[in-house]
Amino acid sequence: KAGVTQTPRYLIKTRGQQVTLSCSPISGHRSVSWYQQTPGQGLQFLFEYFSETQRNKGNFPGRFSGRQFSNSRSEMNVSTLELGDSALYLCASSLAGGLLAKNIQYFGAGTRLSVL
Amino acid sequence: GIQVEQSPPDLILQEGANSTLRCNFSDSVNNLQWFHQNPWGQLINLFYIPSGTKQNGRLSATTVATERYSLLYISSSQTTDSGVYFCAVRGSNYKLTFGKGTLLTVNP
């Protein structure tokens, strides 16, 4: 079974541009979560989608948005890029279910974004 | 939100040594996972262990949910064990909260 696939792996953008990252979950997984990793802040939760609905959102500005398609694939978009958006963006998928369900998250290899 | 603290922040070992990594969390959790992040950034699942004890080869983990901590044991460490080890927990929402990690360096 294929793992979580993130594209592209590397991206270089300039300030003010926007960027779209893609995540294909493990087959059968319906939940996709996004995380940002930086040396200063560590791993921080961005948002989680289940059945095309955002179920939870972290403390990030509105420039960060996402969506999920009917096939569970997800995209996240960052508009008006800032230097501080340079980070490793990780996507995770899980079978999902209720809060008390066994819900193991599996991560993709990430997209490394550099903003110049 | 839930706070997650990992210790030690850095650990240097000689190949063959054993080690224990600790994860403390501030509230009851539904989910606790240990990950190993390789040099390329990929987070590799080690254990899903909201309670109890599990073993997988040279690695084992124990979570004592009532006392809000988890331990990851690495025995007979190898250079390939080097990297950052993260503990992540999920409480009353759908997000994983990560600790800051333990950077493990195993020297030959």
Side-chain angles (χ1 to χ4, degrees):
Chain A
K1 197 184 249 189
V4 179
T5 303
Q6 291 188 244
T7 57
R9 292 294 314 279
Y10 302 93
L11 209 47
I12 299 175
K13 293 286 187 179
T14 57
R15 279 181 299 174
Q17 287 186 309
Q18 75 164 16
V19 66
T20 299
L21 311 182
S22 179
C23 174
S24 293
I26 293 171
S27 177
H29 285 192
R30 297 170 64 192
S31 168
V32 173
S33 299
W34 289 89
Y35 296 82
Q36 181 197 64
Q37 185 177 26
T38 59
Q41 299 299 317
L43 276 151
Q44 293 186 289
F45 172 79
L46 280 156
F47 25 66
E48 188 252 1
Y49 288 89
F50 176 74
S51 292
E52 303 177 66
T53 300
Q54 187 182 89
R55 284 201 297 196
N56 204 2
K57 189 178 189 306
N59 296 324
F60 279 82
R63 300 186 297 107
F64 291 82
S65 63
R67 58 178 175 169
Q68 186 180 33
F69 302 96
S70 58
N71 62 357
S72 295
R73 191 178 70 86
S74 177
E75 290 181 347
M76 69 163 281
N77 184 77
V78 188
S79 63
T80 320
L81 283 165
E82 300 177 359
L83 295 179
D85 297 334
S86 294
L88 177 65
Y89 290 88
L90 291 163
C91 165
S93 78
S94 67
L95 283 170
L99 279 173
L100 297 181
K102 185 175 180 179
N103 192 2
I104 302 173
Q105 293 204 8
Y106 297 88
F107 282 78
T111 294
R112 196 168 293 276
L113 172 65
S114 296
V115 182
L116 306 178
Chain B
I2 293 179
Q3 306 299 312
V4 181
E5 290 186 5
Q6 291 187 242
S7 59
D10 300 277
L11 187 57
I12 300 175
L13 302 173
Q14 288 300 120
E15 207 167 21
N18 302 329
S19 61
T20 301
L21 282 56
R22 187 176 179 103
C23 172
N24 292 333
F25 43 96
S26 61
D27 206 346
S28 58
V29 298
N30 299 314
N31 177 339
L32 189 148
Q33 290 184 247
W34 281 97
F35 297 93
H36 176 214
Q37 188 167 40
N38 65 24
W40 298 272
Q42 173 103 47
L43 282 170
I44 308 298
N45 281 29
L46 297 177
F47 294 101
Y48 168 84
I49 187 165
S51 63
T53 297
K54 290 186 178 179
Q55 180 155 8
N56 185 3
R58 297 181 296 103
L59 302 181
S60 64
T62 294
T63 297
V64 183
T66 52
E67 297 188 21
R68 299 180 184 167
Y69 74 88
S70 183
L71 302 173
L72 177 68
Y73 305 96
I74 305 174
S75 65
S76 304
S77 56
Q78 302 174 357
T79 55
T80 51
D81 294 331
S82 295
V84 184
Y85 289 80
F86 288 102
C87 166
V89 303
R90 189 186 71 177
S92 59
N93 54 39
Y94 293 98
K95 69 174 186 177
L96 277 181
T97 299
F98 283 79
K100 293 192 180 300
T102 292
L103 174 59
L104 175 64
T105 303
V106 182
N107 293 320

